[in-house]
Structures are given as C-alpha cells and as structure tokens.
C-alpha cells in the first residue's frame, strides 16, 4: 500500500511535477487499485479563475498571430516529450484510473497520435475558393483562430481527451483551459508538466497558453458561464451535458458535447463467431466497462444464441479480475464505491424485470472495488437496459429479424457507438445505413476508436465530434471574404440600387 504512494511520488518527481501541487492541497486523490490515498492536491479557488481567464485571453491574442506551422512546432515538441515520458505516464494512468497496463499505454499513445495528426494539420488549415456570380470578384473562405477553448474531461480518459482537444486547439491558434476530472488530478498535473517541457524548448509560447484548473464541477461551470471562453468541449455524463448545454446555448457559445453511450452490437447468423466473441468480450469487459464506447447491449440471432451465450459465459467465468499491477489481469477496478453501488442497483433492477444475472459479484474487499463482469440475459430491452450504467454489465437479447433488431438497437436515448458482426455484405450495409450512432462498425466491437476519425455520437450523446477528420473546424472561426477587383459594383441576385 505504502509502496504505491511512494511509487506515485517518484513518478511525479520524474515527470517534473512540483511536489507542493499534490501534497499541500485540500483535495484528496486516491488510487482505485487499493483505495490508498496518493496525495492532497491544490485546487484553483473561484477567485483565481478570473485571472486565469484573463491570462488565457492575453495568450490567445499573441498565439493567434503565430503562423500555424510554427504553432505546429510546439505540438511536435509536445509529441516528442510524450514519447520520452510514455512509460511513466502510462504507469500513472494505471495507478490513478485503474486501467490495465496496455490500456494505460494505449491512452498515452493516443496523445502521441493526435500530436502527430495536429502537426500535419498545422499546414493544412485549408479554406475554399468559391465561384462567384459577379464578374470581377473573388470569393473565398478563411479560417481564423477562435479564442479561449475550455476543456472539461471525465475520469475514464484522464489524459487523452485533453490531448484530442488541446492539440487541435493549439495548432488552430487558440489558448486552452482544462478542467480535468476531480478523480484524476495527478495525471493531469503530470501531462501539464510534460507540456511545460515542450513549451520551454519551444521558447516563446505566451504565458497562459495551456492552463490547468484542478477542482470540482464549479470550475467547469465557471468555464461554461464565462463569455471569454469561446468554445467548451465537455466530456462526461449526459447528466453533466444536460446542465452544460443550455447554459452554453444561453450565451451562444460553441459546444462540443461528448456524453454517455449505451452501445449495442448485433451478431448475425453468418458471423465469424470466434472473432465476434473476442470483439464482444473486449468491448464489454475492457476498461472494466468504463468506456463511453463499452458494449452494453448484445443482440444475438436466435440461431446462434445458445452456443454464443455458452461461450461468452465461459469467457466471463475465466477472465482475470484484480489489481493489474500485481498480476496479468484483463479487468481492473471500478473507479469508486459509487460506481459499484450503481452497478449493483442496475443488476437488481434487471433481475426485477426478468433478467437472469451471471457474475457481477464483488472480488475482494477494503477500499477498492473489483467486480466480476456481469452478463445478463434479458427478456427484452426493458428497465436498466435502456440507460448507461458505467460498469461492466452486458445485457444479452435474442432477435430473429434484422430490420426489427436495428430499430430496437436505435430505440435508446444515447447514440454513440454500434457494431454488427456478419459476413453478409447486404446485412452489413443495411446496418451501416440504419444505425443512428456517430460510430458504426462491421466485424469489430464498439470500443477502441482511432484518432483519425471524427469521434462522437448523436442524440443524448451530445452531437459533438472531436479528434480526427475535419473536427478541427470547430476550433476555428470561418470568414467568407468577397473581393471586388472590377470598376463596377454588381449586386448579388441582380438587385439594382442605383443612386445619382
Ligand atoms: P461526470 O459527468 O461525472 O464528470 C465529467 C466532468 O464534468 C468532470 O470534470 C466534472 O467535474 C465535470 N462536471 C460535472 N458536472 C458539471 C457541470 N454541471 N458543469 C460543468 N462541469 C461539470 O462524468 P465521469 O463520471 O467523470 O465520466 C463518465 C461519463 O463520461 C460516462 O457517462 C461516459 O460515457 C462519459 N464519457 C463520454 C465520452 C465521450 O467521448 N462521449 C468519453 C469519456 C466518458
């Protein structure tokens, strides 16, 4: 127990985090691996927010004038520093968020990948030249930096989500204020220190370009309500989004909302069942069911139901659950007691409406919350199946008609990720057209997106897109410019307005 605290201290020292920031504060930080307290973190008090916002605004005014490829150079250096610190950061993600080592490393790799993407982007912030209807005119659109970008992030991706946003925001010419989850402040301090090393090598980044706001939801609310913040990218529960969205709309601010998911996968009769089994197992049990893209609903065709459920039960019964630092396990802890209680409540509610529950028991005791992943055979999409419970519960249902099951799949409030396992190209295409999610996959599970695609979902998932593709446009302001290089003043649509 004591060793974990000591190891965390050594990691933070190596990563360059000022000790006072995490030992002399008022906010406790703990590891879900053992429940042990790791530090007392300094929080930003509400009175200091004003100064932080002023500094971010001043930094934006300088940074926006720096040529975009030069801004990309800062992100390139950041990527280099992340590569050098990858092992330490990955270990810290495992300690603070409970991810198994390969997932901790994967999260840091995601930061590196988005840095690479953003460096290339810094030379590709293209606008269009558009044909005009007026003789002697030229029309074009130009993308300008937007302003201060606020990032609010969730505990389950304690560092990658910030990088998805910050790497793009920075090459687009913006400053960034980041409010990480109160459950994962140490990784936030660590990656901010790594970013600071890149800034030092860069040389002339304005002060306040990237700032960290450690504390509770009130700091997130301050970002949401302040007119100096042009865009808020908020990742977390739909409950959080319900509070944030109308407030941002009330001041006409931009929003990227990345909220809860209730992701479904369909296994069709023609599926490669071994591949489907692995895809479903990772999607449902990976990260202990604590990914926004976790597979939570499984629709099995009648003809393969019994055999597939038998294989799944065997996989669930043998999967390693426990402290990923002590043994080679695939399922680490839930983040805290509240997560465990929510899981037990959902299992109770499922049983009450006819669900047959396999697994879900607590493993061990003390201050940490390990659970056996739960498989629940459901008579239909009722009760807790309709909502996201942020824990490893997979609800399994039967179907016999593809169109009907796609309708059922879409009949929940969230719309993040979806998948079908089939070797029938017609079924695959029908599913891709009909799934109402932001992500739809064929022959791979619902979780594990790459940074190159735009990430996000529809309906109560919030509608936001971040990371790859053209997500960068949200971090910029588009201006349409028309230039008249003729001696006449023709009006659009042939309007005449002659004055003497
Ligand atoms: P959470 O909503 O409890 O907290 C997320 C962040 O929002 C935290 O930093 C919190 O302090 C802040 N916050 C909470 N209420 C706020 C408010 N009213 N105003 C401003 N800020 C507020 O979520 P969590 O438990 O940390 O994370 C799990 C949830 O996040 C799940 O629902 C999961 O699906 C979702 N998630 C979504 C994505 C995605 O990309 N769609 C990614 C990761 C997690």
């Amino acid at each position: 127990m004591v060793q974990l605290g000591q190891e965390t201290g050594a990691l933070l020292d190596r990563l360059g985090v000022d000790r006072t920031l995490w030992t002399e504060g008022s906010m406790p930080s703990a590891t879900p691996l053992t429940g042990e307290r790791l530090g007392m973190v300094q929080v930003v008090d509400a009175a200091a927010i004003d100064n932080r916002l002023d500094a971010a605004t001043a930094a934006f005014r300088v940074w926006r004038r720096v040529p975009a490829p030069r801004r990309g150079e800062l992100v390139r250096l950041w990527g280099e520093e992340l590569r050098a610190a990858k092992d330490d950061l990955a270990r810290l993600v495992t300690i603070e968020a409970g991810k198994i080592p390969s997932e901790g490393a994967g999260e840091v790799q995601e930061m590196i990948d988005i840095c690479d993407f953003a460096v290339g982007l810094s030379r590709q912030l293209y606008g269009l030249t558009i044909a005009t209807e007026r003789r002697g005119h030229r029309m074009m659109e130009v993308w300008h930096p937007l302003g201060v970008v606020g990032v609010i992030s969730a505990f389950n991706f304690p560092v990658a989500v910030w990088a998805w946003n910050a790497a793009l925001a920075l090459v687009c010419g913006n400053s960034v204020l980041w409010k990480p989850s109160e459950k994962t402040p140490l990784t936030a301090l660590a990656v901010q220190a790594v970013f600071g090393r890149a800034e030092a090598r860069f040389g002339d980044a304005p002060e306040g370009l990237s700032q960290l706001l450690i504390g509770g939801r009130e700091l997130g609310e301050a970002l949401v309500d302040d007119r100096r913040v042009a865009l808020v990218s908020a990742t977390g529960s739909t409950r959080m989004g319900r509070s944030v969205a109308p407030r941002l709309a009330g001041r006409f601010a931009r929003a990227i909302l990345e909220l809860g998911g209730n992701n479904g996968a369909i296994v069709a009769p023609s599926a490669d069942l071994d591949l489907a089994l692995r895809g479903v197992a990772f999607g449902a049990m990976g990260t202990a069911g604590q990914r926004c893209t976790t597979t939570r609903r499984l629709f099995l065709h009648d003809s393969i139901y019994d055999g597939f459920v038998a294989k799944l039960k065997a996989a669930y019964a043998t999967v390693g659950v426990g402290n990923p630092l002590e043994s080679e396990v695939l399922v680490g802890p839930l983040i805290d007691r509240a997560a465990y209680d929510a899981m037990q409540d959902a299992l109770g509610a499922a049983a009450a409406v006819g669900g047959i529950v396999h697994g879900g028991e607590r493993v061990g005791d003390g201050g940490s919350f390990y659970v056996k992943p739960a498989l629940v055979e459901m008579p239909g999409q009722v009760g807790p199946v309709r909502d996201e419970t942020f824990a490893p519960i997979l609800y399994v249902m039967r179907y016999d008609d593809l169109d009907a099951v796609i309708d059922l799949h879409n009949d929940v409030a969230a719309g993040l990720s979806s998948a079908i396992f089939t070797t029938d190209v017609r079924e695959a295409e029908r599913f891709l057209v009909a799934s109402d999610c932001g992500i739809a996959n064929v022959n791979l599970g619902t979780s594990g997106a790459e940074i190159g695609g735009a990430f996000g979902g529809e309906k109560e998932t919030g509608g936001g897109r971040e990371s790859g593709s053209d997500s960068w446009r949200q971090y910029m302001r588009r201006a349409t410019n028309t230039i008249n290089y003729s001696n006449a003043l023709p009006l659009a649509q042939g309007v005449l307005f002659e004055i003497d």
Side-chain angles (χ1 to χ4, degrees):
M1 299 273 261
V2 177
Q3 280 172 349
L4 215 46
Q6 280 170 351
E7 181 182 350
T8 304
L11 285 169
L12 291 171
D13 284 345
R14 244 191 343 259
L15 289 162
V17 180
D18 175 354
R19 265 192 172 252
T20 59
L21 291 177
W22 61 276
T23 57
E24 295 179 12
S26 57
M27 192 174 89
S29 123
T31 168
L33 299 180
T34 60
E36 177 190 354
R37 179 171 294 183
L38 297 173
M40 292 296 288
V41 185
Q42 286 184 19
V43 300
V44 173
D45 65 72
I49 291 265
D50 207 42
N51 292 338
R52 300 291 191 103
L53 281 160
D54 278 347
T57 307
F60 166 65
R61 291 200 176 118
V62 175
W63 191 242
R64 62 182 300 184
R65 293 200 187 88
V66 175
R70 172 81 184 136
R71 301 193 296 245
E73 171 62 6
L74 172 60
V75 175
R76 192 187 69 76
L77 294 170
W78 180 20
E80 274 188 9
E81 293 295 338
L82 285 169
R83 281 180 167 87
K86 181 176 175 185
D87 291 349
D88 284 349
L89 284 174
R91 183 88 176 172
L92 201 58
V93 170
T94 292
I95 293 174
E96 199 179 35
K99 294 191 176 189
I100 62 172
S102 71
E103 291 195 52
E107 171 144 11
V108 182
Q109 186 58 45
E110 235 174 293
M111 303 178 80
I112 294 167
D113 293 345
I114 195 72
C115 284
D116 288 353
F117 181 91
V119 174
L121 185 64
S122 71
R123 290 182 184 269
Q124 300 175 71
L125 302 171
Y126 303 135
L128 296 173
T129 301
I130 300 156
T132 96
E133 65 192 53
R134 287 173 281 189
R135 190 183 296 270
H137 283 56
R138 182 161 65 85
M139 183 158 59
M140 61 188 181
E141 57 183 26
V142 181
W143 294 87
H144 298 287
L146 184 67
V148 176
V149 172
V151 179
I152 298 171
S153 61
F155 81 84
N156 66 318
F157 274 89
V159 286
V161 164
W162 168 61
W164 283 8
N165 284 282
L168 297 196
L170 289 169
V171 297
C172 290
N174 306 305
S175 57
V176 179
L177 277 169
W178 175 26
K179 207 305 268 176
S181 166
E182 46 277 64
K183 295 172 189 172
T184 52
L186 300 181
T187 39
L189 284 168
V191 290
Q192 188 73 17
V194 170
F195 182 79
R197 285 214 285 277
E199 278 184 310
R201 284 174 62 198
F202 182 76
D204 58 352
E207 204 168 320
L209 184 62
S210 169
Q211 300 178 66
L212 189 55
L213 298 177
I214 291 202
R217 59 182 278 181
E218 64 287 353
L219 297 181
E221 288 169 339
L223 290 179
V224 166
D225 292 336
D226 198 290
R227 287 183 56 242
R228 285 167 287 187
V229 183
L231 160 70
V232 173
S233 173
T235 298
S237 57
T238 295
R239 189 185 57 232
M240 176 273 281
R242 253 186 239 298
S243 158
V244 161
R247 292 162 81 151
L248 288 168
R251 65 178 182 89
F252 299 101
R254 282 202 198 166
I256 299 175
L257 298 176
E258 300 284 351
L259 310 175
N262 187 4
N263 315 296
I266 297 171
V267 182
S270 72
D272 174 334
L273 293 179
D274 288 337
L275 183 149
L277 188 72
R278 280 185 281 130
V280 170
F282 172 64
M285 295 190 280
T287 330
Q290 298 169 112
R291 283 197 191 213
C292 51
T293 51
T294 291
T295 310
R296 307 197 182 281
R297 299 175 294 139
L298 179 64
F299 304 97
L300 299 175
H301 191 264
D302 261 335
S303 61
I304 52 119
Y305 184 96
D306 292 334
F308 200 85
V309 168
K311 283 189 180 159
L312 258 185
K313 278 192 203 161
Y316 268 64
T318 53
V319 74
V321 178
N323 184 336
L325 296 183
E326 287 174 0
S327 55
E328 279 207 8
V329 298
L330 294 180
V331 180
L334 295 176
I335 190 71
D336 55 21
R337 171 176 285 282
Y340 171 74
D341 290 344
M343 179 175 181
Q344 298 311 312
D345 287 352
L347 292 177
V353 290
I356 303 165
V357 178
H358 311 278
E361 307 87 1
R362 189 167 174 193
V363 178
D365 52 17
S368 52
F369 293 89
Y370 293 90
V371 286
K372 288 194 176 152
L375 192 71
V376 187
E377 294 183 79
M378 291 299 297
Q381 188 161 269
V382 290
V385 184
R386 303 187 63 78
D387 299 306
E388 177 193 59
T389 300
F390 215 54
I393 304 176
L394 180 65
Y395 300 107
V396 189
M397 290 158 275
R398 290 177 182 271
Y399 81 92
D400 59 10
D401 176 73
L402 184 65
D403 291 326
V405 79
I406 294 174
D407 285 347
L408 189 66
H409 165 273
N410 288 345
D411 186 25
V412 290
L416 180 51
S417 186
S418 59
I420 190 167
F421 291 89
T422 180
T423 54
D424 178 335
V425 70
R426 291 179 179 158
E427 282 193 335
E429 293 290 340
R430 272 159 70 196
F431 172 76
L432 291 179
V433 168
S435 166
D436 64 0
C437 293
I439 298 168
N441 295 332
V442 176
N443 291 330
L444 67 157
T446 59
S447 92
E450 297 178 25
I451 61 100
F455 182 88
E458 301 300 328
K459 303 191 294 186
E460 291 192 3
T461 301
R465 292 295 186 278
E466 60 191 9
S467 192
S469 184
D470 63 353
S471 305
W472 62 270
R473 292 177 178 211
Q474 300 162 103
Y475 303 82
M476 300 201 87
R477 174 173 63 79
R478 181 196 325 227
T480 301
N481 303 148
T482 308
I483 297 150
N484 176 4
Y485 58 90
S486 75
N487 296 325
L489 189 68
L491 301 180
Q493 295 89 41
V495 171
L496 296 176
F497 196 87
E498 297 299 334
I499 53 170
D500 292 332

